[in-house]
């Protein structure tokens, strides 16, 4: 027993060396790494596009990290990432030094529980609901029940686009629930017949067809669907973009050309987004 | 203070003893260093916000809207405090009483079955509690008193999560009461209730405090479950049916999306949380120093 202690210590000492050995490069050719960070809405799509890209370019490794659109823009600017992902168009002051390449379109739709009789809201009604001027569904043609307002957490592109479209300040919104990602919002609405939320139309369509008890509301009598976003009639739409500096590296340029090519169109549709017109 | 063996075990200047000593010393210092590094990192990251905004802004700004440059942390500090206090007020007595029943009244078979149940409850990951809360508990509260996601939901979920901690630790501290005490009490002709009240509980007191302390620590730091059921609206609640946001939920919701001062402000909320835990530990140590009755 007593003799074992030094043996253990020796083992502990050489362990890092053993682990270090495995990290030595196995392949002869150098591997180029392409780092992409940003929007959690775009990331799953880019991860899939990245896999297809890697299959065509075995010497390139695509590394996708999520962190929100603001992070994507900041990382592309500072050079931490080769490409940033953003689920919104660039702000005017961002276009001075950055370049955005649209890879797909997405819409933002208002959702309620499937049991809610309300099917359409006007822009003014949405503003009244979110600023707390209307607090009962009855005045909107629904049941006699309080409205549970679901808002997005600070820093999300969905929130920015929603506020911008309805000309609201976030501090003016009287929310009952603040959510993180789309799925959290959909689960909240599915479990609460009085709730109203706004989420990615792609995600909502996908979940509603899968049997989740939610429905997308019409906005000013325009149905919220992938078709109306595609033909431009639905007002709340946004581009999903890849952001780089004005002069991207050749590797980043190759990837963006690939991500906007018809080779990835089926992946875009698979993720319930609207592909670029071919 | 802390009682150790360091002065009562002889240490010889033999090679093996010295080797063991240094090996153990390095293991102990790893644990200490990790804490030091985490605290340093938190402070370094929060310095920019403290320098740009100052401490006062975190207490007296009109609201928490980093996008509009307002950074009031007070509603979230209170949210964390209220949920934690509510959870420990619920789970503490229930856990303690269940431990008493299990240890002193229950037939051995039932006690062992119950013990397995509690251990299983302790092993359920917090995200599962949160998910259950979101799809079962929140709709139930909504039927009773809308909107549903609320401080009450957070308190109930947290209480469920820390119940096994309080119960298991209370049981083990009751089990450590020497049997001589029980025999002595029996010899004095004390009944079961009197034995419990006058002998067992005073003797187990410090262990029971530790149980409450560890459970409070867990409730303070819990993130995922409260994020899913509390509603996350930054406000000082006027009733238990109002939604609230805790410090931990705030960090989890916004950290990945924050840049510049906003990001740094989230590290400030981390420092605040750390301070709250520090105050808790100090208070627990202080109250533990009150002389014991046995």
């Amino acid at each position: 027993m007593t003799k074992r202690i030094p043996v253990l210590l020796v083992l502990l000492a050489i362990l890092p060396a053993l682990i270090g050995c495995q990290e030595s490069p196995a392949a002869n050719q150098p591997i180029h790494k392409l780092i992409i960070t940003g929007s959690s809405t775009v990331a799953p799509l880019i991860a899939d596009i990245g896999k297809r890209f890697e299959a065509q370019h075995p010497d390139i490794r695509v590394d996708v990290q999520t962190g929100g659109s603001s992070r994507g823009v900041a990382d592309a600017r500072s050079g931490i990432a080769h490409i940033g992902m953003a689920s919104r168009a660039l702000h005017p002051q961002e276009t001075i030094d950055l370049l955005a390449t649209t890879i797909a379109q997405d819409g933002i739709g208002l959702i309620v529980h499937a049991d809610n009789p309300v099917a359409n809201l006007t822009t003014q009604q949405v503003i009244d609901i979110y600023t707390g001027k209307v607090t009962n569904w009855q005045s909107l043609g629904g049941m006699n029940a309080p409205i549970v307002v679901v808002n997005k957490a600070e820093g999300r592109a969905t929130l920015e686009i929603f506020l911008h479209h309805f000309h609201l300040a976030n501090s003016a919104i009287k929310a009952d629930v603040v959510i993180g990602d789309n799925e959290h919002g959909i689960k909240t609405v599915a479990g609460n017949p009085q709730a109203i939320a706004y989420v990615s139309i792609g995600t909502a369509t996908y979940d509603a067809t899968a049997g989740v008890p939610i429905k997308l509301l019409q906005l000013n009598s325009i149905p919220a669907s992938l078709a109306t976003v595609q033909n431009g009639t639905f007002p709340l739409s946004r581009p999903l973009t890849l952001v780089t500096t004005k002069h991207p590296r050749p590797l980043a340029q190759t990837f963006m050309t690939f991500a906007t090519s018809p080779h990835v169109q089926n992946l875009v549709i698979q993720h319930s987004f609207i592909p670029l017109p071919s | 203070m802390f009682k150790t063996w360091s002065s009562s075990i002889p240490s010889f200047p033999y090679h093996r003893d010295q080797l063991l000593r240094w090996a153990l010393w390095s293991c102990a210092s790893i644990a200490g260093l990790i804490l030091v590094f985490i605290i340093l990192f938190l402070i370094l990251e929060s310095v920019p916000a403290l320098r740009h905004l100052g401490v006062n802004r975190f207490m007296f700004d009109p609201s928490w809207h980093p996008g509009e440059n307002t950074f009031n942390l007070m509603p979230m500090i209170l949210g964390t405090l209220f949920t934690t206090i509510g959870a420990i007020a619920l789970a503490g007595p229930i856990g303690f009483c269940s431990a008493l029943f299990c240890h002193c009244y229950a037939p051995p078979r039932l006690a062992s079955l119950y013990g397995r149940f509690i251990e299983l409850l302790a092993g359920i990951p917090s995200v599962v509690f949160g998910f259950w809360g979101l799809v079962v508990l929140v709709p139930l509260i909504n039927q009773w008193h809308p909107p549903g996601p609320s401080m009450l939901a957070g308190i109930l979920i947290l209480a469920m999560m820390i119940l096994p901690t309080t119960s298991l630790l209370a049981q083990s501290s009751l089990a450590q009461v020497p049997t001589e005490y029980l025999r002595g009490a029996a010899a004095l002709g004390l009944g079961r209730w009197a034995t419990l009240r006058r002998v067992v509980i005073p003797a187990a007191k410090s262990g029971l405090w530790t149980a409450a302390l560890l459970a409070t620590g867990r409730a303070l730091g819990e993130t995922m479950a409260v994020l899913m059921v509390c509603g996350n609206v930054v406000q000082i609640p006027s009733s238990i049916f109002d939604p609230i946001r805790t410090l931990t939920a705030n960090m989890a919701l916004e950290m990945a999306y924050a840049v510049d001062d906003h990001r740094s402000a989230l590290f400030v909320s981390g420092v605040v949380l750390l301070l709250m835990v520090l105050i808790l530990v100090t208070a627990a140590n202080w109250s533990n120093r009150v002389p014991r009755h046995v």
Side-chain angles (χ1 to χ4, degrees), chain A residues 2-3 5-6 9 39-40 66-71 74 146 148 153-157 163 169-173 175-181 184 187-188 191-194, chain B residues 16 19-20 23 63-68 131 134-135 138-139 142 146-149 227-235 243 245 252-259 262-263:
Chain A
T2 43
K3 270 191 182 170
I5 292 169
L9 284 176
S39 163
S40 57
T66 58
S69 299
S70 318
R71 170 63 53 79
V148 174
E154 194 88 28
R156 318 260 160 164
L163 294 177
N170 198 18
S171 48
I173 289 185
D176 296 305
V177 185
V178 175
I179 51 144
D181 57 13
H184 188 182
K187 293 236 163 52
T188 305
N192 190 332
Q194 292 108 293
Chain B
R16 199 168 284 155
L19 201 64
L20 183 65
S63 62
W64 169 267
H65 285 110
E68 294 163 30
F131 192 68
L134 185 64
V135 298
V138 168
N142 176 48
L227 189 152
M228 290 168 96
V229 303
C230 276
N232 304 317
V233 178
V234 185
Q235 62 178 4
R245 188 185 292 188
L253 265 179
E254 298 188 356
M255 185 54 87
Y257 296 80
V259 282
H262 181 193
R263 179 168 183 274

Side-chain angles (χ1 to χ4, degrees), chain B:
Chain B
M1 268 324 286
F2 227 68
K3 219 177 119 190
T4 65
W5 292 347
S6 42
S7 52
S8 45
I9 303 183
S11 183
F12 301 106
Y14 294 152
H15 180 65
R16 199 168 284 155
D17 247 14
Q18 288 305 316
L19 201 64
L20 183 65
R21 182 199 149 98
W22 286 110
L24 297 180
W25 178 86
S26 47
C27 287
S29 59
I30 284 174
L33 275 179
I34 288 172
L35 182 68
V36 170
F37 276 127
I38 289 178
I39 293 176
L40 268 182
F41 169 74
L42 269 180
I43 291 174
L44 271 182
E45 289 283 351
S46 56
V47 159
L50 289 172
R51 191 175 289 162
H52 292 165
L53 308 167
V55 180
N56 281 348
R57 301 258 326 252
F58 290 106
M59 292 191 287
F60 303 115
D61 264 6
S63 62
W64 169 267
H65 285 110
E68 294 163 30
N69 213 14
T70 55
F71 295 93
N72 190 353
L73 284 175
M74 280 318 272
M76 290 177 272
I77 295 175
L78 290 178
T80 298
L81 273 181
F82 289 159
T83 44
T84 305
I85 291 170
I88 198 75
L90 261 182
I94 297 178
F96 171 62
C97 292
S98 76
L100 267 189
F101 168 74
C102 206
H103 201 70
C104 309
Y105 289 88
R109 272 187 139 174
L110 183 66
S112 106
L113 185 73
Y114 180 77
R116 292 283 163 284
F117 258 78
I118 291 284
E119 278 163 24
L120 196 65
L121 194 62
I124 296 177
S126 70
V127 69
V128 175
F129 274 105
F131 192 68
W132 179 83
L134 185 64
V135 298
V136 179
L137 187 66
V138 168
L140 275 178
I141 295 177
N142 176 48
Q143 280 173 20
W144 181 25
H145 195 302
S150 54
M151 189 164 95
L152 177 66
I155 289 175
L156 289 177
I157 287 285
L158 274 182
M160 268 183 250
M161 292 181 59
I162 63 174
L163 182 63
T165 315
T166 52
S167 180
L168 285 174
L169 288 172
Q171 270 193 56
S172 76
S173 67
L174 289 176
Q176 275 169 15
V177 175
T179 38
E180 289 85 354
Y181 288 12
L182 300 180
R183 287 196 203 119
L188 288 171
L190 292 179
R192 197 175 277 198
W193 169 237
T195 312
L196 282 182
R197 198 160 77 99
R198 298 283 183 203
V199 180
V200 175
I201 294 174
K205 209 178 114 206
S206 89
L208 296 175
W209 266 113
T210 314
L213 172 72
L214 283 174
T216 314
R218 191 174 178 201
L220 269 180
E222 177 49 41
T223 309
M224 215 46 223
V226 289
L227 189 152
M228 290 168 96
V229 303
C230 276
N232 304 317
V233 178
V234 185
Q235 62 178 4
I236 295 171
S238 52
S239 84
I240 54 168
F241 297 106
D242 278 353
I244 50 141
R245 188 185 292 188
T246 63
L247 285 170
T248 49
N250 188 43
M251 284 184 263
L253 265 179
E254 298 188 356
M255 185 54 87
Y257 296 80
V259 282
D260 304 334
D261 273 356
H262 181 193
R263 179 168 183 274
S264 188
L266 292 177
F267 279 98
V268 174
S269 48
V271 172
V272 171
L273 198 64
L274 200 71
L275 282 178
M276 285 168 77
V277 175
L278 197 71
I279 292 170
L280 178 77
V281 172
T282 318
N285 276 341
W286 177 79
S287 64
N288 235 345
R289 252 184 240 164
V290 177
R292 286 161 62 171
H293 297 292
V294 187

Side-chain angles (χ1 to χ4, degrees), chain A residues 6-255:
Chain A
V7 174
L8 257 176
L9 284 176
V10 170
L11 267 178
L12 270 177
I14 62 169
L15 201 63
L18 285 174
I19 294 166
C21 283
Q22 289 182 330
E23 277 180 9
S24 63
N28 291 329
Q29 60 192 96
I31 290 204
H32 299 287
K33 215 169 179 188
L34 184 66
I35 298 169
I36 307 177
T37 69
S39 163
S40 57
T41 310
V42 191
L45 171 63
I46 288 297
D48 278 359
I49 292 177
K51 272 181 214 145
R52 199 170 277 182
F53 187 71
E54 281 173 353
Q56 290 186 7
H57 303 82
D59 58 330
I60 296 169
R61 191 70 40 83
V62 180
D63 187 5
V64 181
Q65 297 161 11
T66 58
S69 299
S70 318
R71 170 63 53 79
V73 171
D75 285 355
R77 178 176 281 157
S78 67
I80 293 173
H82 299 120
I83 302 176
M85 299 174 282
S87 49
R88 57 168 169 78
L90 290 180
H91 299 316
Q93 75 270 21
E94 288 168 348
T95 53
I96 297 167
D97 56 333
L98 296 173
L99 204 67
T101 311
T102 304
I103 55 163
Q105 287 278 331
D106 182 30
I108 295 168
L110 288 148
I111 56 165
V112 291
H113 194 273
D115 292 347
N116 195 326
V118 175
N120 177 46
L121 289 175
T122 63
T123 301
Q124 191 54 46
Q125 282 172 329
V126 174
I127 293 171
D128 289 348
I129 290 172
Y130 271 86
T131 51
K133 285 197 195 99
V134 173
T135 54
N136 197 303
W137 282 109
Q138 209 165 24
S139 56
L140 303 165
M143 59 226 156
N144 179 18
I147 301 175
V148 174
V149 176
V150 182
N151 195 21
K152 278 253 179 182
E154 194 88 28
R156 318 260 160 164
T158 321
L159 171 77
E160 270 180 52
I161 288 159
F162 182 83
L163 294 177
H164 184 253
H165 180 80
F166 290 101
H167 304 291
L168 290 167
N170 198 18
S171 48
I173 289 185
K174 303 266 181 295
D176 296 305
V177 185
V178 175
I179 51 144
D181 57 13
N182 286 319
E183 279 303 326
H184 188 182
I186 287 170
K187 293 236 163 52
T188 305
V189 173
N192 190 332
Q194 292 108 293
I196 180 166
Y198 54 93
V199 293
S200 154
I201 290 180
T203 319
T205 310
Y206 180 83
D207 279 8
T209 44
V212 179
I214 55 162
K215 69 173 178 191
L216 278 154
L217 289 180
Q218 297 181 358
L219 185 63
N220 300 324
S221 304
I222 303 162
S225 68
L226 294 174
T228 52
V229 175
Q230 189 159 24
N231 66 26
T233 47
F234 191 78
L236 259 172
S237 75
R238 58 176 173 181
L240 305 181
T241 62
L242 295 179
V243 181
T244 57
T245 50
K246 288 273 181 196
H247 305 286
R249 295 185 194 185
L251 181 57
Q253 190 57 60
T254 319
F255 182 81

